Amino acid sequence: MDPGGHAEATGIEPNNDEEIDSAFGEGDSTYTATLRSSLLESVQENGRGYHKYRDGVYILPEDAREQERLDLQHEMFLRSLDRKLYLAPIDEPVHEALDLGTGTGTWAIDFADQHPEANVVGVDLSPIQPSWVPPNCRFVVDDFDKEWAYKTKFDFIHGRMLLTSSADFPTLFQRAYDSLRPGGWIEMQDLYMPLKCDDGSMDGTTYQQWNELYIQACSKLGRDPSYTAKYKEWMTTAGFDGVEEEVFKWPVNTWPKDDKLKEMGSWNLINMLDGLEGFTVRLWTMALEMSTEEIEVILAGVRKDVQDKRIHSYWPMYVVYGRKPSSGPG
């Protein structure tokens, strides 16, 4: 469907034993308490805090400003999906669920609340999840882009906003396939870049320049955010059956006439303005070797452009899901 449709470690070795405690688990030993304290110390750069574990693997911050934006974004996904956490037509109880790149853990916590029969594990490089969570939910500091060693076979694997989190999505989907029980589901919910504009109103703007430079920078680091459009193909290649894709539009500002899209645009404008610095500064200083001063000049123009209702841009948001066959290999 087109965007206009419906619309692993070095340093600290992760413990992959089935009985591993969350980074915030009870009964911490002196060692784990020290480890937790160390991981909570963000790497400070250009006034923002970034994950300490495998520093540099992920380009976005983990600080309080970013956590607030991620929770706002969670609400945006819920509004797009009619208050649903997922679209996959799961017709059997979920006993084991895995949330890749769990971030603040909001999706995992909500899923655990809705599925009290399920054990939910959220995995992330950042230990930023809350201490008080449902008893059937836990969090692990780990890099899902490295070899998996889970002893459990999962019924559902979920990933959201992973577009710059993996260097090898085909391998990631194969690992997910191998870690699902027969009949289990995977679902990815992700934005696509570059941002789209169907009528040319972005042409010649600082916003368009940012859009193009962003793709160049991501590509230099091997994290091309246009790969979202290939999820369906890669899931099918990994062996999943009945792979379905739905694509939504997230307008940037309130330019649409449609009331629902206009409301989403108001949310996404906040998302964009709050996230713009975090999206850009570390990535461009690393990949494009630009100075923060050069970057800030461009960002000033982008902030002006994204609020201009004459520029009709939007984020394509993909939801792609598939099921591991109930019989056959694996």
Side-chain angles (χ1 to χ4, degrees), residues 8 13 49 53 56 100 111 123 132 157 181 192 227 232 242 276 279 283 285 311 314-315 319:
E8 344 191 341
E13 290 291 335
Y53 177 62
L100 302 174
F111 188 88
V123 177
W132 297 100
I157 296 177
R181 66 162 180 81
Y192 168 95
Y227 284 165
K232 183 177 182 180
L276 189 60
F279 299 158
L283 173 63
T285 55
I311 300 176
Y314 62 93
W315 299 81
V319 179

Side-chain angles (χ1 to χ4, degrees), residues 2 19 27 41 56 64 99 135 153 157 182 190 195 237 261 283:
D2 292 332
E19 298 302 319
E41 297 173 358
D99 185 30
K153 291 290 187 180
I157 296 177
D190 229 331
L195 280 73
T237 299
L261 289 175
L283 173 63

Side-chain angles (χ1 to χ4, degrees), residues 6-172:
H6 177 54
E8 344 191 341
T10 57
I12 303 170
E13 290 291 335
N15 180 2
N16 291 308
D17 186 82
E18 188 58 25
E19 298 302 319
I20 186 173
D21 284 334
S22 155
F24 301 98
E26 297 180 357
D28 287 341
S29 66
T30 301
Y31 171 77
T32 55
T34 302
L35 173 60
R36 175 179 62 185
S37 177
S38 175
L39 288 173
L40 285 170
E41 297 173 358
S42 299
V43 175
Q44 297 298 312
E45 187 176 308
N46 299 313
R48 302 300 301 266
Y50 297 85
H51 65 88
K52 189 171 185 179
Y53 177 62
R54 294 184 56 75
D55 177 31
V57 170
Y58 183 59
I59 61 175
L60 297 188
E62 66 170 19
D63 53 25
R65 289 169 58 188
E66 178 65 3
Q67 292 175 42
E68 290 178 1
R69 189 188 70 82
L70 291 176
D71 286 341
L72 177 147
Q73 203 165 243
H74 177 69
E75 177 63 23
M76 292 171 64
F77 276 97
L78 291 177
R79 286 170 179 260
S80 285
L81 306 183
D82 295 326
R83 311 308 299 180
K84 298 176 183 177
L85 292 174
Y86 56 90
L87 296 183
I90 299 172
D91 54 7
E92 297 179 12
V94 175
H95 299 291
E96 302 290 342
L98 177 65
D99 185 30
L100 302 174
T102 194
T104 60
T106 309
W107 185 94
I109 291 168
D110 286 358
F111 188 88
D113 280 334
Q114 292 183 16
H115 298 266
E117 77 284 358
N119 296 312
V120 183
V121 179
V123 177
D124 204 278
L125 294 168
S126 296
I128 58 174
Q129 301 78 31
S131 302
W132 297 100
V133 298
N136 58 326
C137 181
R138 62 191 177 96
F139 299 105
V140 178
V141 177
D142 204 354
D143 184 355
F144 64 73
D145 219 23
K146 296 300 180 181
E147 197 70 35
W148 293 12
Y150 300 109
K151 296 179 181 179
T152 296
K153 291 290 187 180
F154 297 99
D155 302 290
F156 186 35
I157 296 177
H158 169 266
R160 190 172 73 183
M161 292 301 293
L162 304 186
L163 67 164
T164 59
S165 300
S166 178
D168 188 352
F169 278 103
T171 296
L172 178 64

